[in-house]
């Protein structure tokens, strides 16, 4: 079943010439992806991942997840960037909005996150929450050397070992990392942790459909078989070049808008469950395209919430933005607005309507206002928020990202700029091996 529809009718007339002009570049980008002939082609493992992921791997991930679910009230996912955002996006989209406020029930652990920041209070407060609780750890790092997750893992590993002993802790820790390289692989081998492999040819931000995303998602109780099946369907839909390929059309459209001066893309949702999907999308597009002095700036908002904070800017600020709206057709729950005899708030005209009817009119009214105000609008419609649709949406954006990067003329699969802050941080912290950099940075600070 096709659950994701793309509509560019309210965007194309802002950049019709550029859209037509991009056709050849899009065909070329598709060929580069399909033939592996573009820059960064050693990182194309995500392309056929959905159709090639074996049922055996999915069953093994589910088995590991069941073990953690049976033995833990909390599962702490330690990872940063591409090693956490995909799982968090899917889990948030599928979970009850207030899941975190309910106590865990047997075999239904809460999935929590660590190592995605260097917040001292965050870390200490998570330790406080876990004190005396049954918990497990999924530690995820492709390189196995990233500082943030390394700090968090050291702390929560030590805590777990103190609480349950080294032998029991060993079975409550799972590592997801490179097959051979990195400190985490060495540690996992030494300690005897169960491990899953992040394929060499899949970069962090394209890794949600590997064990990086699938294991935490399964631990949260969601169906990874349906998620991967949804992605496989989109893999099929986006295989060939042409107007029937929604990823290609989206990639062409956003590049056409960029060429017409729209330098910022705002990913909009009208469903707060999609907040972290926006965070995942920002990394995917930001890291893939922001290089060589080029690239659309990816931003994200939650509507209608942010209409009351960002709405003014979007309506009347500098005309350099366009919106891509993710719209969910059918909410899973029906709730109607009640009648009130006094009607002091004046909203009895809405009585009997579903809350979503109001939301949809807010969406339509916003689109008309923003388009009238010079903001092109791309719409992506999802039938509902479930594993199958999310799988389709993830793959749709991944494929579009590869095409879009090649149309833009960058290597969408590297991230050289991410190293700059790390180098300075290591120099400032006087990491062994960084003596020259330490001297240089200290002289700058004088
Ligand atoms: O997309 C990327 O490559 C990065 O965002 C990484 O996912 C992030 O830096 C974490 O790296 P690692 O998984 O090696 O710890």
């Amino acid at each position: 079943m096709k659950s994701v529809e793309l509509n560019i009718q309210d965007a194309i007339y802002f950049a019709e010439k550029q859209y037509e002009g991009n056709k050849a570049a899009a065909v070329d980008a598709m060929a580069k992806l399909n033939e592996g002939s573009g820059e960064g082609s050693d990182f194309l493992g995500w392309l056929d991942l959905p159709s090639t992921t074996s049922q055996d791997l999915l069953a093994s991930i589910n088995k590991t997840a069941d073990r953690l679910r049976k033995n833990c009230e909390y599962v702490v996912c330690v990872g940063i960037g591409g090693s956490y955002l995909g799982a968090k996006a899917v889990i948030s989209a599928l979970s009850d909005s207030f899941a975190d406020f309910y106590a865990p029930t047997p075999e239904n652990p809460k999935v929590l996150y660590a190592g995605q920041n260097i917040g001292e209070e965050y870390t200490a407060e998570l330790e406080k929450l876990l004190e005396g609780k049954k918990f497990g750890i999924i530690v995820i790092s492709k390189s196995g050397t990233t500082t943030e997750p390394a700090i968090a893992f050291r702390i929560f590993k030590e805590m777990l070992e103190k609480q349950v002993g080294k032998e029991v802790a060993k079975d409550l820790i799972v590592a997801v990392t490179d097959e051979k390289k990195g400190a985490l692989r060495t540690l996992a081998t030494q300690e005897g942790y169960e491990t899953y492999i992040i394929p060499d040819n899949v970069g962090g931000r394209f890794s949600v459909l590997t064990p990086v995303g699938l294991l935490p998602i399964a631990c949260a109780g969601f169906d990874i078989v349906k998620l991967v099946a949804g992605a496989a369907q989109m893999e099929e839909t986006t295989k060939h070049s042409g107007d029937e390929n929604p990823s290609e059309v989206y990639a062409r459209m956003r590049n056409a808008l960029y060429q017409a001066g729209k330098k910022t893309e705002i990913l909009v949702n009208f469903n707060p469950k999609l907040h972290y999907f926006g965070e995942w999308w920002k990394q995917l597009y930001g890291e893939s395209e922001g290089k060589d002095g080029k690239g659309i700036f990816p931003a994200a908002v939650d509507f209608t919430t942010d209409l009351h904070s960002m709405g003014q800017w979007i309506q009347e600020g500098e005309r350099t933005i366009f919106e891509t709206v993710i719209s969910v057709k059918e909410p899973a729950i029906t709730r109607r607005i009640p009648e009130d005899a006094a009607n002091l708030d004046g909203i009895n005209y809405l009585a009997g309507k579903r809350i979503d009817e109001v939301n949809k009119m807010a969406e339509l009214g916003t689109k008309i206002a923003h388009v009238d105000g010079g903001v092109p609008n791309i719409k992506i419609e999802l039938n509902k928020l479930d594993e199958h649709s999310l799988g389709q949406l993830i793959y749709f954006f991944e494929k579009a990202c590869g095409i879009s990067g090649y149309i833009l003329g960058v290597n969408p699969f590297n991230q050289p700029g991410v190293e700059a802050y790390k180098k300075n941080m290591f120099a400032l912290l006087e990491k062994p091996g960084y003596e020259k950099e330490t001297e240089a940075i200290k002289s700058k600070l004088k």
Side-chain angles (χ1 to χ4, degrees):
M1 194 183 59
K2 195 168 153 199
S3 333
V4 174
E5 295 280 350
L6 173 74
N7 187 332
I8 59 164
Q9 74 185 23
D10 290 307
I12 192 157
Y13 52 84
F14 285 90
E16 207 142 3
K17 244 184 26 228
Q18 291 87 342
Y19 184 78
E20 273 319 303
N22 277 341
K23 193 176 178 125
V27 172
D28 184 56
M30 277 294 292
K32 280 182 176 147
L33 287 176
N34 287 340
E35 294 158 14
S37 55
E39 266 194 291
S41 59
D42 39 350
F43 283 99
L44 291 180
W46 55 274
L47 256 184
D48 63 353
L49 198 58
S51 63
T52 56
T53 298
S54 71
Q55 291 304 313
D56 284 355
L57 176 63
L58 296 176
S60 160
I61 292 173
N62 274 329
K63 199 169 153 209
T64 304
D66 281 347
R67 189 180 80 237
L68 292 173
R69 285 170 65 78
K70 279 202 177 76
N71 293 296
C72 303
E73 298 168 273
Y74 296 92
V75 174
V76 182
C77 292
V78 176
I80 194 166
S83 289
Y84 109 99
L85 280 167
K88 177 131 186 168
V90 173
I91 293 170
S92 303
L94 297 174
S95 295
D96 184 294
S97 306
F98 300 97
D100 287 351
F101 296 92
Y102 292 100
T105 53
E107 303 197 16
N108 256 318
K110 301 284 171 204
V111 173
L112 302 172
Y113 305 89
Q116 84 282 30
N117 58 47
I118 329 180
E120 189 159 343
E121 285 143 333
Y122 182 97
T123 309
E125 285 159 7
L126 182 52
E127 279 184 282
K128 189 172 137 201
L129 172 74
L130 295 173
E131 193 63 54
K133 308 277 181 13
K134 287 161 67 178
F135 76 96
I137 303 171
I138 304 173
V139 54
I140 308 167
S141 176
K142 184 168 188 219
S143 63
T145 56
T146 308
T147 309
E148 291 91 335
I151 294 172
F153 184 54
R154 182 180 279 210
I155 288 170
F156 291 103
K157 170 183 181 287
E158 185 189 73
M159 181 179 181
L160 185 60
E161 288 175 349
K162 270 198 190 135
Q163 277 188 199
V164 298
K166 218 169 154 62
E167 259 319 288
V168 177
K170 178 174 83 66
D171 292 330
L172 295 171
I173 297 175
V174 182
V176 183
T177 189
D178 185 86
E179 190 178 3
K180 299 190 186 96
K181 302 186 297 283
L184 182 57
R185 168 57 60 188
T186 312
L187 185 70
T189 310
Q190 217 166 317
E191 304 278 326
Y193 302 146
E194 183 178 16
T195 61
Y196 284 93
I197 294 167
I198 309 176
D200 241 1
N201 57 0
V202 180
R205 58 190 175 275
F206 287 85
S207 69
V208 52
L209 299 171
T210 72
V212 169
L214 298 178
L215 181 58
I217 293 166
C219 278
F222 299 113
D223 190 333
I224 55 171
V225 174
K226 285 191 185 146
L227 186 80
V228 172
Q233 178 157 18
M234 190 54 80
E235 182 187 325
E236 196 51 44
T237 307
T238 58
K239 225 172 203 130
H240 305 291
S241 183
D243 292 345
E244 297 305 306
N245 178 337
S247 294
E248 185 177 325
V249 171
Y250 171 60
R252 265 176 80 186
M253 190 69 252
R254 62 195 298 282
N255 272 283
L257 292 167
Y258 181 61
Q259 289 150 6
K262 306 294 186 189
K263 305 289 186 194
T264 299
E265 177 174 11
I266 306 177
L267 191 78
V268 176
N269 72 71
F270 278 83
N271 185 327
K273 286 176 191 265
L274 286 169
H275 174 82
Y276 278 97
F277 200 87
E279 298 302 303
W280 170 81
W281 173 88
K282 283 196 302 194
Q283 188 206 0
L284 182 64
Y285 281 80
E287 261 185 16
S288 299
E289 295 194 316
K291 52 195 73 158
D292 305 339
K294 300 193 259 193
I296 297 171
F297 182 79
V301 292
D302 304 322
F303 283 174
T304 61
T305 309
D306 293 333
L307 282 172
H308 297 260
S309 56
M310 295 299 290
Q312 173 61 36
W313 201 104
I314 295 171
Q315 189 67 48
E316 295 181 351
E318 194 181 12
R319 301 298 71 191
T320 51
I321 56 171
F322 66 98
E323 290 179 319
T324 296
V325 178
I326 302 180
S327 177
V328 182
K329 245 191 216 164
E330 190 57 37
I333 298 172
T334 301
R335 182 70 176 94
R336 291 183 190 278
I337 298 163
E339 177 92 30
D340 181 82
N343 194 28
L344 291 177
D345 51 16
I347 61 163
N348 263 355
Y349 76 102
L350 298 175
K353 285 193 194 299
R354 287 183 70 175
I355 291 175
D356 194 56
E357 284 180 72
V358 181
N359 202 26
K360 290 289 187 294
M361 289 308 108
E363 184 182 324
L364 183 58
T366 304
K367 182 185 82 176
I368 295 168
H370 288 183
V371 169
D372 285 348
V375 180
N377 183 288
I378 298 173
K379 182 171 174 177
I380 295 164
E381 193 167 54
L382 236 64
N383 278 345
K384 51 186 173 176
L385 270 189
D386 62 8
E387 288 91 336
H388 200 266
S389 311
L390 283 171
Q392 289 194 28
L393 191 63
I394 286 167
Y395 192 87
F396 161 81
F397 276 127
E398 288 182 347
K399 186 72 179 265
C401 186
I403 303 168
S404 184
Y406 281 147
I407 295 178
L408 182 67
V410 298
N411 173 356
F413 306 113
N414 65 3
Q415 56 283 330
V418 182
E419 294 310 310
Y421 98 89
K422 290 185 193 169
K423 208 180 95 196
N424 286 345
M425 178 176 78
F426 293 149
L428 290 165
L429 289 168
E430 302 184 18
K431 182 174 174 172
Y434 281 76
E435 290 76 12
K436 260 204 201 132
E437 287 85 350
T438 300
E439 210 184 304
I441 204 160
K442 287 205 168 162
S443 72
K444 264 194 204 170
L445 294 175
K446 275 181 193 148

CSV table of all heavy atoms in Angstrom, one decimal, residues 390-415:
chain,number,residue,atom,x,y,z
A,390,LEU,N,6.0,5.2,8.2
A,390,LEU,CA,7.2,5.8,8.6
A,390,LEU,C,8.4,5.2,7.8
A,390,LEU,O,9.3,5.9,7.4
A,390,LEU,CB,7.5,5.7,10.1
A,390,LEU,CG,6.6,6.7,10.9
A,390,LEU,CD1,6.7,6.3,12.4
A,390,LEU,CD2,7.1,8.1,10.7
A,391,GLY,N,8.4,3.9,7.6
A,391,GLY,CA,9.4,3.3,6.8
A,391,GLY,C,9.5,3.9,5.4
A,391,GLY,O,10.5,4.2,4.9
A,392,GLN,N,8.3,4.1,4.8
A,392,GLN,CA,8.2,4.8,3.5
A,392,GLN,C,8.8,6.2,3.5
A,392,GLN,O,9.6,6.6,2.7
A,392,GLN,CB,6.8,4.8,3.0
A,392,GLN,CG,6.2,3.5,2.6
A,392,GLN,CD,4.9,3.6,1.8
A,392,GLN,OE1,4.7,4.6,1.1
A,392,GLN,NE2,4.1,2.6,1.9
A,393,LEU,N,8.4,6.9,4.5
A,393,LEU,CA,8.8,8.3,4.6
A,393,LEU,C,10.4,8.4,4.8
A,393,LEU,O,11.0,9.3,4.2
A,393,LEU,CB,8.1,9.0,5.8
A,393,LEU,CG,8.2,10.5,5.9
A,393,LEU,CD1,7.6,11.2,4.7
A,393,LEU,CD2,7.5,11.0,7.2
A,394,ILE,N,10.9,7.5,5.7
A,394,ILE,CA,12.3,7.5,5.9
A,394,ILE,C,13.1,7.3,4.6
A,394,ILE,O,14.0,8.1,4.2
A,394,ILE,CB,12.7,6.5,6.9
A,394,ILE,CG1,12.3,6.9,8.3
A,394,ILE,CG2,14.2,6.2,6.9
A,394,ILE,CD1,12.4,5.8,9.4
A,395,TYR,N,12.7,6.3,3.9
A,395,TYR,CA,13.4,6.0,2.6
A,395,TYR,C,13.2,7.1,1.6
A,395,TYR,O,14.1,7.4,0.9
A,395,TYR,CB,13.0,4.6,2.1
A,395,TYR,CG,14.0,4.2,1.0
A,395,TYR,CD1,15.1,3.5,1.3
A,395,TYR,CD2,13.7,4.5,-0.3
A,395,TYR,CE1,16.1,3.2,0.3
A,395,TYR,CE2,14.6,4.2,-1.3
A,395,TYR,CZ,15.8,3.5,-1.0
A,395,TYR,OH,16.7,3.2,-2.0
A,396,PHE,N,12.0,7.6,1.5
A,396,PHE,CA,11.7,8.7,0.6
A,396,PHE,C,12.7,9.8,0.8
A,396,PHE,O,13.3,10.3,-0.2
A,396,PHE,CB,10.2,9.2,0.8
A,396,PHE,CG,10.0,10.6,0.3
A,396,PHE,CD1,9.7,10.8,-1.1
A,396,PHE,CD2,10.0,11.7,1.1
A,396,PHE,CE1,9.5,12.1,-1.6
A,396,PHE,CE2,9.8,13.0,0.6
A,396,PHE,CZ,9.6,13.2,-0.7
A,397,PHE,N,12.9,10.2,2.1
A,397,PHE,CA,13.8,11.4,2.3
A,397,PHE,C,15.3,11.0,2.1
A,397,PHE,O,16.1,11.8,1.7
A,397,PHE,CB,13.6,11.9,3.8
A,397,PHE,CG,12.5,12.8,3.9
A,397,PHE,CD1,11.5,12.6,4.9
A,397,PHE,CD2,12.4,14.0,3.2
A,397,PHE,CE1,10.4,13.5,5.0
A,397,PHE,CE2,11.4,14.9,3.3
A,397,PHE,CZ,10.4,14.7,4.3
A,398,GLU,N,15.6,9.7,2.4
A,398,GLU,CA,17.0,9.3,2.2
A,398,GLU,C,17.4,9.4,0.7
A,398,GLU,O,18.4,9.9,0.3
A,398,GLU,CB,17.3,7.9,2.8
A,398,GLU,CG,17.3,7.9,4.3
A,398,GLU,CD,17.6,6.5,4.8
A,398,GLU,OE1,17.5,5.5,4.1
A,398,GLU,OE2,17.9,6.4,6.0
A,399,LYS,N,16.5,8.8,-0.1
A,399,LYS,CA,16.7,8.7,-1.5
A,399,LYS,C,16.8,10.1,-2.1
A,399,LYS,O,17.7,10.5,-2.9
A,399,LYS,CB,15.7,7.9,-2.2
A,399,LYS,CG,15.9,7.6,-3.7
A,399,LYS,CD,17.0,6.6,-3.9
A,399,LYS,CE,17.2,6.3,-5.4
A,399,LYS,NZ,16.5,5.1,-5.9
A,400,ALA,N,15.8,11.0,-1.7
A,400,ALA,CA,15.8,12.3,-2.2
A,400,ALA,C,17.0,13.1,-1.8
A,400,ALA,O,17.5,13.9,-2.5
A,400,ALA,CB,14.5,13.0,-1.6
A,401,CYS,N,17.6,12.8,-0.6
A,401,CYS,CA,18.8,13.5,-0.1
A,401,CYS,C,20.0,13.1,-1.0
A,401,CYS,O,20.7,14.0,-1.4
A,401,CYS,CB,19.0,13.0,1.3
A,401,CYS,SG,20.4,13.9,2.1
A,402,GLY,N,20.1,11.9,-1.4
A,402,GLY,CA,21.2,11.5,-2.3
A,402,GLY,C,21.1,12.2,-3.6
A,402,GLY,O,22.0,12.8,-4.1
A,403,ILE,N,19.8,12.2,-4.2
A,403,ILE,CA,19.6,12.9,-5.5
A,403,ILE,C,19.9,14.4,-5.4
A,403,ILE,O,20.6,15.0,-6.2
A,403,ILE,CB,18.2,12.6,-6.0
A,403,ILE,CG1,17.9,11.1,-6.0
A,403,ILE,CG2,17.9,13.3,-7.3
A,403,ILE,CD1,16.4,10.8,-6.2
A,404,SER,N,19.3,14.9,-4.3
A,404,SER,CA,19.4,16.4,-4.1
A,404,SER,C,20.9,16.8,-4.0
A,404,SER,O,21.3,17.9,-4.6
A,404,SER,CB,18.6,16.8,-2.9
A,404,SER,OG,18.6,18.1,-2.7
A,405,GLY,N,21.7,16.1,-3.2
A,405,GLY,CA,23.1,16.4,-3.0
A,405,GLY,C,23.8,16.4,-4.4
A,405,GLY,O,24.6,17.3,-4.6
A,406,TYR,N,23.5,15.4,-5.2
A,406,TYR,CA,24.2,15.4,-6.5
A,406,TYR,C,23.7,16.5,-7.4
A,406,TYR,O,24.5,17.1,-8.1
A,406,TYR,CB,24.0,14.0,-7.1
A,406,TYR,CG,24.9,12.9,-6.6
A,406,TYR,CD1,24.5,11.6,-6.5
A,406,TYR,CD2,26.2,13.2,-6.1
A,406,TYR,CE1,25.3,10.6,-6.0
A,406,TYR,CE2,27.0,12.2,-5.6
A,406,TYR,CZ,26.6,10.9,-5.5
A,406,TYR,OH,27.4,9.9,-5.0
A,407,ILE,N,22.4,16.8,-7.3
A,407,ILE,CA,22.0,18.0,-8.2
A,407,ILE,C,22.7,19.2,-7.7
A,407,ILE,O,23.1,20.1,-8.5
A,407,ILE,CB,20.4,18.2,-8.0
A,407,ILE,CG1,19.7,17.0,-8.6
A,407,ILE,CG2,20.0,19.5,-8.7
A,407,ILE,CD1,18.1,17.1,-8.5
A,408,LEU,N,22.9,19.4,-6.4
A,408,LEU,CA,23.5,20.6,-5.9
A,408,LEU,C,25.0,20.6,-6.2
A,408,LEU,O,25.6,21.7,-6.3
A,408,LEU,CB,23.4,20.6,-4.3
A,408,LEU,CG,23.9,21.7,-3.5
A,408,LEU,CD1,23.2,23.0,-3.8
A,408,LEU,CD2,23.8,21.4,-2.0
A,409,GLY,N,25.6,19.4,-6.5
A,409,GLY,CA,27.0,19.4,-6.9
A,409,GLY,C,27.9,19.2,-5.7
A,409,GLY,O,29.1,19.6,-5.7
A,410,VAL,N,27.4,18.5,-4.6
A,410,VAL,CA,28.3,18.2,-3.5
A,410,VAL,C,28.3,16.7,-3.3
A,410,VAL,O,27.5,15.9,-3.9
A,410,VAL,CB,27.8,18.8,-2.2
A,410,VAL,CG1,27.8,20.3,-2.3
A,410,VAL,CG2,26.4,18.3,-1.8
A,411,ASN,N,29.3,16.2,-2.5
A,411,ASN,CA,29.3,14.8,-2.1
A,411,ASN,C,28.4,14.7,-0.9
A,411,ASN,O,28.7,15.1,0.2
A,411,ASN,CB,30.7,14.4,-1.7
A,411,ASN,CG,30.8,13.0,-1.1
A,411,ASN,OD1,29.7,12.3,-1.0
A,411,ASN,ND2,32.0,12.5,-0.8
A,412,PRO,N,27.2,14.1,-1.1
A,412,PRO,CA,26.2,14.0,0.0
A,412,PRO,C,26.5,13.0,1.1
A,412,PRO,O,25.8,13.0,2.1
A,412,PRO,CB,24.9,13.6,-0.7
A,412,PRO,CG,25.2,13.2,-2.1
A,412,PRO,CD,26.7,13.4,-2.3
A,413,PHE,N,27.6,12.3,1.0
A,413,PHE,CA,27.9,11.2,1.9
A,413,PHE,C,29.1,11.4,2.8
A,413,PHE,O,29.5,10.5,3.5
A,413,PHE,CB,28.0,9.9,1.1
A,413,PHE,CG,26.8,9.7,0.3
A,413,PHE,CD1,26.9,9.7,-1.1
A,413,PHE,CD2,25.5,9.5,0.9
A,413,PHE,CE1,25.7,9.5,-1.9
A,413,PHE,CE2,24.4,9.4,0.1
A,413,PHE,CZ,24.5,9.4,-1.3
A,414,ASN,N,29.7,12.6,2.8
A,414,ASN,CA,30.8,12.9,3.7
A,414,ASN,C,30.3,14.0,4.7
A,414,ASN,O,29.3,14.6,4.5
A,414,ASN,CB,32.1,13.2,3.0
A,414,ASN,CG,32.0,14.5,2.2
A,414,ASN,OD1,31.0,15.2,2.3
A,414,ASN,ND2,33.0,14.9,1.5
A,415,GLN,N,31.1,14.2,5.7
A,415,GLN,CA,30.8,15.3,6.7
A,415,GLN,C,32.1,15.9,7.2
A,415,GLN,O,32.4,15.9,8.4
A,415,GLN,CB,29.9,14.8,7.8
A,415,GLN,CG,30.3,13.6,8.6
A,415,GLN,CD,30.1,12.3,7.9
A,415,GLN,OE1,29.2,12.2,7.0
A,415,GLN,NE2,31.0,11.4,8.1
